[in-house]
Amino acid sequence: MTPLERLHFIRQLHHWSAALIDVGRYPFRRAEIFPPVVTASGLVSPPLVLWINRQSLQAGGVIFLSDTDSEPRDAARCARALGINYFIFWTPRNLTLWEQATAAHPPHAVWECPAPQPQQIDDFQLLLTEVFDQFRQRLIPGAISDADLSPDYFATLCYHTLLSIRQPLREALRVARGANTSPPNLHPAHAAFSWSIAILLGALARQIDEQRSAGAISVAELLAEQLSPFRDALTTGIALPDAVQTVIRQLEHRLRQLGWGTDRQRAAATLEQWINVCSPLLNRTSAWIEPLPASEKRLLVNLPTVAPCDISIAPPPLHAATTLYRLLDSNDGACAQSFAWSGLTSESFTTVVASLPRQLFSPFNFRATEGQAVLHRTWPSRRFSLPAQTPAWIYHGLALLAVPCNDGAFFLELPEEWLTPPASAPFIELINRHYQLTELCLADHRRQRLKLYRTIVAGPVVVTGDHGPRHLPADAEQPLTASRLRLALSAADDLWEALATGKLTPPLEKSDQRHTLAAETTLFCSSACGKFLAPFLDDAELMPLPPFDLLALFTGATNTADIEKAEHELYRRLDMRPFDWPPLRQHQDVGGGKRRPLRLPRTKILDELQLAAHAEGLPRFPHQYLYDYYKPALKRYTFSGPLEQQGEFFGCIQLQDPHGKRIDVDHLSTAVALQLASHLSEKEVSLPEDIAILARIVRRYRNDLATLRNRLQDLAHRHLDDHRQANRLVAEVWAQLPLPPLKLLDKINTID
């Protein structure tokens, strides 16, 4: 059965199930295909689920489809997550009814499937009726008791509640945004999901508080205090919809009825699975949940930002979820949290966990004086000479490094640029003077995680990069440098071995041979190995050179061919592989020691351009640009092809399609918008009547098209030196995309 045939069959089963439910002989109220179910292996979607009560997650039966007769262990886990001990496993040859939801016992009943012929379609319908009868008989004896419900069940219940309240919250945010009562930099889709997580966390915290002893710290109040900056920035002047309040009350009643808060271990496992499912949906990583050293006072740092961004930092609701998980996992009172980095002072935190976002440069209202004031308070005895246009995350990181106590630990996640000058200078200086780096590893999106201690820890520095873990000796006489860390992260194994064992080492300053072989040193620096090493070195560092007897191989090299010949002999003696040339393009010899770019096949360049064009999605006009406006008044225009401007008469602009139909508009923005829409294979378009809104979306669409064009041209020029050939390839790819032609784009770019 092909995937398309399987989908059609599942839809047919859904249609038959709805017809059987309408008869009224069965206690089921709804049939649903592919509902999300949370299991230990992540989100799964069973083909068909019969619900007794969808809101309370009371399932009456579940049907799985498979092309093999293997034991349905994944189906068994999904059934237990739905709170039932039985399910149907439907294969091309037969149907099997499994009980106990473990797949360890033989099937309870087996039915042979009829041959899939059109004249026997009624047999499948009768077979489904018998399945319904079997499900009805097992509703009560096959249900899992409240005390035995797994964490998967409660995680699925919370996830379904999260999805049900997301749309009303999103609509409330859209209304507030249209009335200018919410921050304009918040996208309703992202903000609604974060807000729904915060609301659901409050409901879970109240359930935990009901089972705690009198006088204990209120978890709900703790989370409310942590989430208050987020709510103040997001929900000021926005009322919680009545539908959301009703759903949350039903969830609290259901959790209280099932006794979820009485089992602390089950509650912690529920929250852990729920966090793991929600984190990827926000396109972010949650705060660390991995075991950390036991501490008396632990600080989780979340920077004051709620705007959607492509950085690996946990938003405030997920930080609060992590705090609740730690409290349930027997860590009461071990966590503190901060949203304002500028207010942090050294309070003897034994563990600090932080993730800093990447910001190009500090915003206009963030001046160096503010950062200097914070650094003066956190590092009163130190002065940092930071240049102008220093990124804001460097100020954040330097302030945070002063927070742990003298024997504390620090888990810090930084952007990739932290190892490049000038960002690396203050961090490397502090690490060598006040900290000991024990671990450095790559995280998601090429970000890097550091594990630091304010005390002496025995053992080398473990650097885990593209080629696995490597060990740097913790030697006080040889302090860490940014170049050593960068090479440990990305250098090939043989090059790293040559550097670590001293086969390639910086020359001694007082050596006479260094000056004697100055010409050979220059030739080695121009070789492939030297060009590879040069970007890793700081200005004050010397190039690692081979031994002087091997450096003499470059004596007498007069052209590129002689340099390559000497370099290959050097590789052979040092047992290293030949290096590729550092530039993005390969090269070929053209005689006379000259090299020119080796042009890739034209088809491969076109494929790269096509992939780059679709990498971030093509802009859709005007639909995509009207999402930020709540129900603006629209006017519909119809045409039968690309519109061309025929002229202007007393402020009235005349447009005409290929069939001679004329459209008269009284504003230039309307004319430009109609021309753009008419080249997108559209026969009609609805545009805002408000000229200010229309001009704004046209300007945004024009900027997005210009950005896409520049990206394609930059990629084409990497492969081709002739700019005319590169532009022709870009024009060829552009003509195949559902976008306005480049000639029109050049024309409207001249319009203010």
Side-chain angles (χ1 to χ4, degrees), residues 43-97:
L43 277 177
V44 297
S45 299
L48 182 66
V49 176
L50 304 177
W51 295 105
I52 300 175
N53 189 326
R54 178 68 166 77
Q55 185 71 32
S56 299
L57 202 71
Q58 294 180 352
V62 56
I63 299 177
F64 298 91
L65 271 68
S66 176
D67 294 331
T68 63
D69 296 331
S70 59
E71 291 186 355
R73 298 192 179 276
D74 293 337
R77 285 194 290 267
C78 183
R80 289 196 63 85
L82 291 172
I84 54 179
N85 265 323
Y86 54 89
F87 59 91
I88 287 289
F89 201 63
W90 197 317
T91 66
R93 293 191 302 176
N94 53 38
L95 279 77
T96 54
L97 174 63

Side-chain angles (χ1 to χ4, degrees), residues 291-293 350-351 401 404-411 430-431 433-439 450-458:
L292 297 176
T350 54
T351 303
L401 283 175
C405 61
N406 291 332
D407 57 349
F410 202 107
F411 296 82
L430 285 178
I431 290 174
R433 287 179 176 268
H434 300 280
Y435 279 88
Q436 181 166 347
L437 178 65
T438 60
E439 292 182 16
L450 292 76
K451 186 176 181 180
L452 307 168
Y453 285 95
R454 287 289 288 267
T455 184
I456 298 178
V457 180

Side-chain angles (χ1 to χ4, degrees), residues 559-705:
N559 52 40
T560 305
D562 294 338
I563 295 176
E564 288 186 353
K565 183 177 179 180
E567 189 177 13
H568 279 277
E569 179 64 20
L570 177 66
Y571 294 154
R572 187 185 66 81
R573 296 192 186 184
L574 293 181
D575 193 21
M576 294 170 57
R577 66 170 181 83
F579 280 87
D580 297 327
W581 284 80
L584 295 176
R585 292 173 286 175
Q586 298 177 347
H587 294 74
Q588 63 179 359
D589 292 326
V590 295
K594 297 181 180 180
R595 301 170 69 87
R596 71 181 182 191
L598 178 63
R599 177 175 171 176
L600 291 177
R602 187 172 183 275
T603 55
K604 290 189 176 181
I605 300 178
L606 289 175
D607 291 342
E608 287 193 18
L609 293 176
Q610 288 279 3
L611 292 175
H614 292 86
E616 300 179 4
L618 296 176
R620 295 181 296 111
F621 182 83
H623 321 290
Q624 177 179 339
Y625 298 88
L626 292 175
Y627 291 161
D628 298 335
Y629 305 96
Y630 181 71
K631 296 181 179 181
L634 302 177
K635 182 178 181 180
R636 189 166 63 114
Y637 301 88
T638 59
F639 39 79
S640 57
L643 295 171
E644 297 292 339
Q645 184 172 342
Q646 299 299 321
E648 183 177 355
F649 184 73
F650 286 102
C652 181
I653 303 175
Q654 300 174 353
L655 302 174
Q656 185 173 336
D657 63 13
H659 293 79
K661 182 179 179 180
R662 197 177 73 177
I663 301 177
D664 296 335
V665 295
D666 55 359
H667 199 277
L668 183 59
S669 297
T670 308
V672 172
L674 285 173
Q675 285 184 279
L676 291 172
S678 65
H679 285 84
L680 301 178
S681 300
E682 299 283 348
K683 299 301 181 182
E684 64 177 33
V685 65
S686 297
L687 299 176
E689 295 180 357
D690 190 334
I691 297 300
I693 296 178
L694 184 61
R696 198 174 300 121
I697 67 173
V698 168
R699 193 179 307 113
R700 288 175 53 196
Y701 183 50
R702 183 179 62 183
N703 294 339
D704 290 345
L705 292 178

Side-chain angles (χ1 to χ4, degrees), residues 349-565:
F349 289 103
T350 54
T351 303
V352 177
V353 180
S355 180
L356 300 185
R358 178 186 182 276
Q359 300 176 4
L360 292 178
F361 296 105
S362 53
F364 182 79
N365 57 358
F366 178 83
R367 292 299 184 185
T369 54
E370 178 185 351
Q372 290 174 358
V374 174
L375 296 180
H376 178 74
R377 184 168 62 250
T378 56
W379 293 96
S381 60
R382 294 196 59 86
R383 295 295 181 269
F384 298 92
S385 57
L386 300 177
Q389 296 294 308
T390 297
W393 60 266
I394 295 182
Y395 288 96
H396 299 171
L398 294 177
L400 291 175
L401 283 175
V403 173
C405 61
N406 291 332
D407 57 349
F410 202 107
F411 296 82
L412 181 63
E413 187 174 283
L414 291 173
E416 185 181 10
E417 302 84 48
W418 88 274
L419 279 178
T420 58
S424 61
F427 285 105
I428 295 296
E429 179 188 357
L430 285 178
I431 290 174
N432 288 327
R433 287 179 176 268
H434 300 280
Y435 279 88
Q436 181 166 347
L437 178 65
T438 60
E439 292 182 16
L440 171 63
C441 63
L442 291 178
D444 298 334
H445 308 294
R446 302 298 300 178
R447 294 170 61 82
Q448 297 173 12
R449 288 182 177 177
L450 292 76
K451 186 176 181 180
L452 307 168
Y453 285 95
R454 287 289 288 267
T455 184
I456 298 178
V457 180
V461 182
V462 180
V463 181
T464 305
D466 298 327
H467 302 277
R470 288 168 177 166
H471 299 273
L472 289 175
D475 190 357
E477 298 180 357
Q478 188 180 9
L480 291 176
T481 61
S483 60
R484 291 182 65 197
L485 295 176
R486 290 199 300 268
L487 285 169
L489 284 170
S490 56
D493 292 334
D494 49 2
L495 175 61
W496 176 251
E497 182 181 359
L499 293 170
T501 56
K503 295 178 182 178
L504 293 177
T505 182
L508 299 176
E509 290 288 346
K510 298 181 179 180
S511 174
D512 297 333
Q513 289 180 304
R514 177 175 181 270
H515 301 284
T516 304
L517 299 176
E520 289 76 3
T521 301
T522 303
L523 292 175
F524 173 77
C525 294
S526 64
S527 66
C529 183
K531 290 181 179 180
F532 180 85
L533 291 172
F536 290 91
L537 304 178
D538 297 333
D539 296 336
E541 292 187 90
L542 298 174
M543 171 73 73
L545 299 176
F548 291 115
D549 57 333
L550 297 183
L551 190 62
L553 294 172
F554 291 88
T555 302
T558 58
N559 52 40
T560 305
D562 294 338
I563 295 176
E564 288 186 353
K565 183 177 179 180

